[in-house]
Amino acid sequence: MLASAIKDKLRNNKPSIGSWMSMAHPSIAEILAMAGYEWIVIETEHTAIDVSEVLRLIIAIEQRGSIPLVRLAWVDPIQAKAVLDSGAAGVIVPMVNTKAEAELAVAMTKYPPMGSRGIGLARAQGYGVDFDKYVSRANEDLLLIVQIEHIDAVNNIEEILSVPGIDGTFIGPYDLSMSLGLPGQLSHPEVVAAKEKVLKATLKKGLAAGIHFVQPLTAVDDCLKAIGEGYRFIAVGTDILFLGDNCRKMHTDIQRSILGNGF
């Protein structure tokens, strides 16, 4: 399964809403997919999820009708090849700070002559049965999002976006704030200005602007605001906070109810 459905939406300036998972259990993948999110990102940058677990999560996501994407751990051709051959419909590549890194991101995810991705027989190619069909469509239908999360990337944004094969950008606000010496200060004018520079450059190039709203409790308002600003590739929540926030809220509500009723 490739990401043509996502890309069609983005080309038509329609929002595409997905979610995020960091816990490597197929049931969690199924729950998120069954909730109706168009795509689910499997997080491998800040987790211990390995490529064998990615394969199982991709299968679970697909079986419940969503599109599996993977955030890679780095600009890593070996990991990219493994997750794409497992059936990932696209990848988010973190810490793309230069044109050379953007070129590597394209090369490692695209087949020749556009890139240098190795050709094999694996799950993505139907174990050989769908080889011709997959290879003929992969370069066009695969979703490649580069993550802009360092001031160096902001300063190099025009050069980064000049590389053919990139479908969009994805802001990493916390790392971006850290690179500016303003850790966690997401509303600081310098952080806001850097985000706006990336957004404007992305839209000017006709590419999709992406962002992740981690906190589920404010996601609705955050999404509407972002769509008004021009973002179209939007992730909301994450399995950890979906579980944690609801657990904490229920516990707090029960304790308040018990006290309020004199128990």
Side-chain angles (χ1 to χ4, degrees), residues 9-244:
K9 258 192 166 181
L10 297 175
R11 285 191 204 100
N12 290 306
N13 201 32
K14 301 291 185 183
S16 181
I17 310 297
S19 193
W20 213 270
M21 66 176 299
S22 299
M23 294 185 284
H25 199 288
S27 294
I28 295 171
E30 288 189 302
I31 289 168
L32 291 174
M34 291 171 68
Y37 293 105
E38 185 175 357
W39 41 271
I40 310 296
V41 175
I42 301 165
E43 169 67 275
T44 71
E45 182 185 10
H46 296 296
T47 70
I49 297 176
D50 62 29
V51 292
S52 63
E53 291 168 321
V54 166
L55 172 60
R56 289 190 286 271
L57 298 176
I58 286 172
I59 293 170
I61 291 167
E62 283 185 347
Q63 286 179 338
R64 293 298 184 175
S66 189
I67 298 172
L69 306 176
V70 176
R71 176 156 76 171
L72 301 178
W74 202 252
V75 193
D76 181 355
I78 296 173
Q79 186 193 19
K81 180 163 52 177
V83 303
L84 291 175
D85 281 348
S86 292
V91 293
I92 299 174
V93 184
M95 281 292 177
V96 175
N97 294 334
T98 66
K99 182 179 181 181
E101 289 171 342
E103 290 172 336
L104 177 56
V106 172
M108 71 188 191
T109 56
K110 306 289 186 178
Y111 286 129
M114 189 173 190
S116 57
R117 176 185 170 189
I119 298 179
L121 301 180
R123 181 176 179 274
Q125 302 85 10
Y127 305 102
V129 175
D130 297 324
F131 177 83
D132 291 339
K133 180 181 178 182
Y134 179 88
V135 171
S136 68
R137 298 291 303 174
N139 282 1
E140 181 178 347
D141 288 351
L142 179 129
L143 184 72
L144 173 59
I145 303 291
V146 294
Q147 194 150 1
I148 306 300
E149 48 187 341
H150 194 282
I151 190 57
D152 290 347
V154 176
N155 292 334
N156 294 327
I157 190 62
E158 300 287 349
E159 290 186 353
I160 289 170
L161 297 185
S162 71
V163 178
I166 293 170
D167 296 303
T169 60
F170 199 79
I171 289 288
Y174 285 95
D175 279 312
L176 179 57
S177 68
M178 181 68 77
S179 75
L180 286 163
L182 302 163
Q185 299 181 50
L186 305 188
S187 60
H188 190 283
E190 289 185 43
V191 179
V192 172
K195 288 172 58 181
E196 288 179 350
K197 181 177 179 179
V198 174
L199 175 62
K200 289 178 181 177
T202 303
L203 298 181
K204 181 181 177 182
K205 196 70 176 176
L207 302 176
I211 195 166
H212 185 187
F213 297 112
V214 177
Q215 296 296 335
L217 298 179
T218 61
V220 173
D221 291 339
D222 290 338
C223 278
L224 289 176
K225 183 175 183 292
I227 291 168
E229 293 171 346
Y231 291 96
R232 292 294 181 266
F233 182 74
I234 302 173
V236 294
T238 178
D239 53 355
I240 294 172
L241 292 183
F242 284 134
L243 175 62

